[in-house]
Every structure is written in structure tokens, then in C-alpha cells.
Amino acid sequence: MSQANPVHSLANVAAARSATKEDHHIAGTGIEAKNIHAWFGDKHVIDNVSIDFFPGTVTALIGPSGCGKSTFIRILNRMHEFIPTAAMAGEVLLEGKDIYQSGTDVTKIRLGIGMVFQKPNPFPSMTIKENVLSGLKLAQLKVSNQNELLESCLVRAGLWNEVKDRLNEYGGALSGGQQQRLCIARSLAVSPQVLLMDEPCSALDPGSTLRIEETIRELSSSMTIIIVTHNMQQAARVSDRTGFFLSDGGPGRLIECSTTSEIFSNPKDKRTEDYVTGRFG
Amino acid sequence: MSTATSPLPPKREITTKPRFSDKVFRAVVTTGGFSSLAILGLISLFLLYNGLNVFRTEGLKFITGFDWIVPLPEEGLPAQYGIGAMLYGTVVIGLIALFFAFPISVGAALFLSYYAPEWLKKPMVLVIDVMAAIPSIVFGLWGFFVLMPHAEYWAKLIHKYLGFIPIFDMPANAFSRSPFIAGLVLAIMIIPIITSISREIFAQTPLDRVQAAYALGATKWSMIKTVVFPYGRGGVVGGAMLGLGRAIGETVAVYTVLNIVFDIRIEVLLSAGGSVASMIVNKFGEANPDELKALMASGFVLFLVTLLINFLANFIINRTARE
């Protein structure tokens, strides 16, 4: 059945997902991107994208390679500006305040908006414990009970049971999937309101991917999550809302953004339908 | 399914037949590779051969003794050769040089890697590399005529306020041509090599770790402390060792600004120090054949010391690169 009609199967997944979230209460802080443009040098790569990410929801950004979705997510926590020729226009509002306003302390912004990268990147010179707590050291934060924080972050990242007896081993000794969950735990330690995930499972095996997806679902009750993914099944499984990006050779645009079940069962745009049914991409 | 008893096939020998052009190229690069080894070996053999007699007669005293006495032929007394004070002096000025050069170099490397605006980077790297190419006699002359008067003033200040520390004590009013001044000149000479090695190591810091730190709300300084230093530590230490190696082997610049005295003094501000390389230059011109052999033996010892330091430096750098 699913072979014959992939739209329906993904739509079912998405519908089942929203059913489990019926009693879901709004938590965390939303983040709103308004009229975002981006350039690398003279190359215009994102054209006028506006998305409102609601508090306590998981939003998936999907689209073929080169459509600007990774660039877009990096604009949301000001990682975009690390590329020397990068430029942007538009506003990103966190609690109503533009994070690009001049005079903003960018380290504070990144504390509020955490990020998990495509490739697991724990600090190799640190133990598991030190990795989780590294954000405190980096941002010069003080916490009264480090062990409590350590445990709660690892529990929320779904890693506690696997590492509780080896907290003083090096982070590099873990498997890829465990390393990625360690990176999630590390992001949680500085208690961000928003968590950005840039293809967090693309370097992982299916089993680890499922574990991360469970983690995302559990976290979504307490924070706003934005996840870039190449994997439409993943978008259907974990997200409440989905945004579809596409580039026609020029800059990437947001074709449509709606509830995930809508995108997979009843997309408004023909191109969205073609993409989610696997006709291209 | 095969049974457990079935014998495994013999391992095949895998070979290729190289083409003629490959053979020629291989011969050329092999010659190149081995010729440096051969030159190194021949130089050390030459020094060892000439100095062997001195090693035989002086024994361990050659390394530990402080006396370099060349009697006139008519006196008929035995000569005494000991470079202990020179070896000690070499280490002292090397350490002084490192003390000043290391923080400056690491700071410069960090500035170039993480703070300097793009337009400034290239010219600064160029200037630092040019510094490495300046002939050492130029540094020596500059040190003698320009740096020394100032350095004497600094030395007097150090003595005035820190004189209670034995190394800054001053038994006579002789502040010029001291190990302190030689160390300063050497520091300037080894800054380029330590800076460029540190800069290269810092530039190799994996970008994903740098980004991970920033994404956790790191400031630039806390990112450098947490990510760049742990990654680059070994390489920077290796660079410092290479700088030390250069400082120890430096001859003519030190000769210009150091008063060579065959005595071990702990007072670094006093106008009396030692350096094996400069001592050789100092004595070489008017040495009699016998003394010349002693100088060759000194050269051999110096050669071993620099070789050891360079090996150590390479070992540290390579170990870091593999991590």
C-alpha cells in the first residue's frame, strides 16, 4: 500500500504524529524570521523567506540540496556571519527582539538558541561529563548543582542509561549516534529556548536516527525545535509543521509552510506535492 | 559449506612491474632523500673524527669542565679543554630567548588566526616571514648598537627592583653584553619560526569544533581556550622547541652581543655568559692545530644537542598532527 501511494503513507504518519500531540501545551519561546534574504558574495541564495516558528513546536525544513535551508537555519542563531563573504537582510525576532540589532550580545543570543550540527562534534579532549557541561565554561555561567544538571541533560537527550557508568570517559569513545545525543545534551545544558538541528541524523545509521527522533519528540514539550532534514519520512515523523524550500537555479525560496499533515496530505503548491511524492529531489 | 579441515590457500604475493619512467623518477628522489642523510652523516663523522682525540684525552671533563687553557708551546704544559660553562650558557640564553619569544609568538599567531582583519593578514605574515630571512649578523649589529643601550637600562631596573632574586643580582657594575641581552636578540630572531608554526597549527583547528563552541555561547577568548589551545598545544610546544634549537645553534648574532667567559654564573644580567657556537667563532681565527681539534669536538657536541632538540620538536609536532 505504501509502495503504491507514498503521499498517503507519509500523511498517515504525520496525522498519527499530530494525534499524539493533542494535549500538547505551549512551552518555550517562539522565534520569527521576517523577510530573510541571504548572500554569499554577490550570489543571492535566499529570497524573502518569512516563517513564524511557534513556541513548543517542531518545525521541519525540507527541500532538495542547495535550496538554502541550511543557510537559513544558520541565520537563526547568527552562525551565518562566520563565513567571510556572507551577508543577510531581514529580521529574526526572539521574544520580539531582533537578534541582528546592533549592540546585541551575540553570545547571549546563541545561549538562547542552541544548535546541533550535521556531523557529531563533541570536544575530543573532554570527557562525557565535561562535554555536557562545556557550555557553562564557554559562556562563563555558574550552576549550583552540576551533577543534577548533567544527569537531567543526559536523560533528556536519551543518553543517560548508556553512559551513566562512564561519565569520565572521553566523548570520542562513543558511537556516532551516541555522540550526536551527547551534542544534544551539551546544547541543553545552557537551557536554550530554541534548538536548531541541521540534518542531525544524516551521518547516522537508522537505529540511532530513531533514538534521536524520540529525543526530539520528548524535547518538543519544553522547547521550540527547528530541524533541517533531507529525509521526508523524518519530517513526517517528528514535526508539527513543515516548510518546503526550493530553488529554481536562483536563490532559494519558501514555497509553502503549513502543518505537517497538510504538507504531506494536501499541499497547496504543485511543486510541494511533486517533492513530497518523490517525483524529484 | 567448507569444512573446518579444508586448508586455506597460500597467500599470494602481490607485485607490480614499474614502468621505466617510474624507475628513473624513483632513482632521482631516492638519491635526493639519501643525500641529505649522507651529508648529515659525513659532517658528524668529520667532526667526530677530528675531535676524537680531544674526547679521548679530556674524557667527561670536556663536557663538565670550565677551563679552556691553551698554553704557549714553550711552556710545555698540557692544554685543558672543557665546555661545561659554554653548554650551560647556551641553555641559559636559549631559555631567556624562549621566555620572551614564546608569549609574543603565540599572541601574534592568535592575532593572525582569529583577530586580524583580512586585509592585514597577508602583509603581516609576509613581514614575519621576512624577519626569518634577515641575516643573523644584521640582528647582531642592531642588537649591539640599538638594543643594547636600552636593554642595559632595563637590566638596571630589573636589578634595582628584583635584585634580591639571585639570578638578577649584580656583583659588578657591568650590564652590557650579558646573557639577558643575548637572549633578547635571540628572542627576536626566533619569533618568526614560533609564530609561523603556531599559526599553521591554529589554522588547522577543526571548524566543526570552533562552531560547536560558538553555538554554545562562547566568547572568542573562551572558544580559543577550550578548542584552539587543546588542539594546538603540542604543535605550539614543538614550534617553541624548533625555536630553541635555532637559538642554541645561533652563532654570530650572539657573538656580537655576548661577553664570553669560561665560568658558570647564575647572574643573567652580568656581562659574562657562554655559548658553544659563539665560542667556536671567537676562538676559530687564532686557534693552533690542537685547539682547532677541540673546537671541532665542541662543534660535535653542539651538533648533537641541536639534533636532539629538533628530533624532540618533530616528535611532539607529529604526535599532535596525528590526534
Side-chain angles (χ1 to χ4, degrees), chain A residues 74 79 82 107 110-111 113 115 117 119 121 123-126 134-135 138-140 186-187, chain B residues 118 208-223 225-227 230-231:
Chain A
R74 290 168 61 88
M79 296 297 280
F82 284 119
T107 60
R110 298 204 190 99
L111 278 177
I113 309 173
M115 188 161 203
F117 296 83
K119 208 179 118 211
N121 55 0
F123 299 122
S125 59
M126 296 185 190
S134 60
L138 283 163
Q140 287 138 15
R186 181 175 68 180
S187 305
Chain B
E118 283 301 313
D208 61 340
R209 287 181 214 164
V210 175
Q211 293 198 342
Y214 279 133
L216 288 166
T219 60
K220 201 166 246 187
W221 169 232
S222 64
M223 185 282 290
K225 260 194 313 187
T226 319
V227 177
Y231 177 79

Side-chain angles (χ1 to χ4, degrees), chain A residues 91-105:
Chain A
E91 291 183 328
V92 178
L93 304 175
L94 180 70
E95 293 178 312
K97 272 180 76 180
D98 183 12
I99 66 168
Y100 282 90
Q101 204 170 43
S102 62
T104 304
D105 180 358

Side-chain angles (χ1 to χ4, degrees), chain A residues 248-279:
Chain A
D248 52 6
R253 294 192 177 87
L254 179 69
I255 302 302
E256 101 178 80
C257 183
S258 182
T259 62
T260 300
S261 51
E262 182 105 346
I263 291 282
F264 284 103
S265 61
N266 190 20
K268 291 198 181 59
D269 197 290
K270 179 76 170 61
R271 289 168 293 180
T272 313
E273 189 182 333
D274 287 350
Y275 185 71
V276 299
T277 52
R279 250 170 240 150

Side-chain angles (χ1 to χ4, degrees), chain B residues 233-246:
Chain B
R233 192 182 292 135
V236 171
V237 170
M241 301 285 280
L242 281 182
L244 186 66
R246 186 168 173 206

Side-chain angles (χ1 to χ4, degrees), chain B residues 158-169:
Chain B
I158 294 172
H159 168 61
K160 190 172 166 193
Y161 293 106
L162 296 171
F164 59 90
I165 304 171
I167 58 167
F168 299 131
D169 199 5

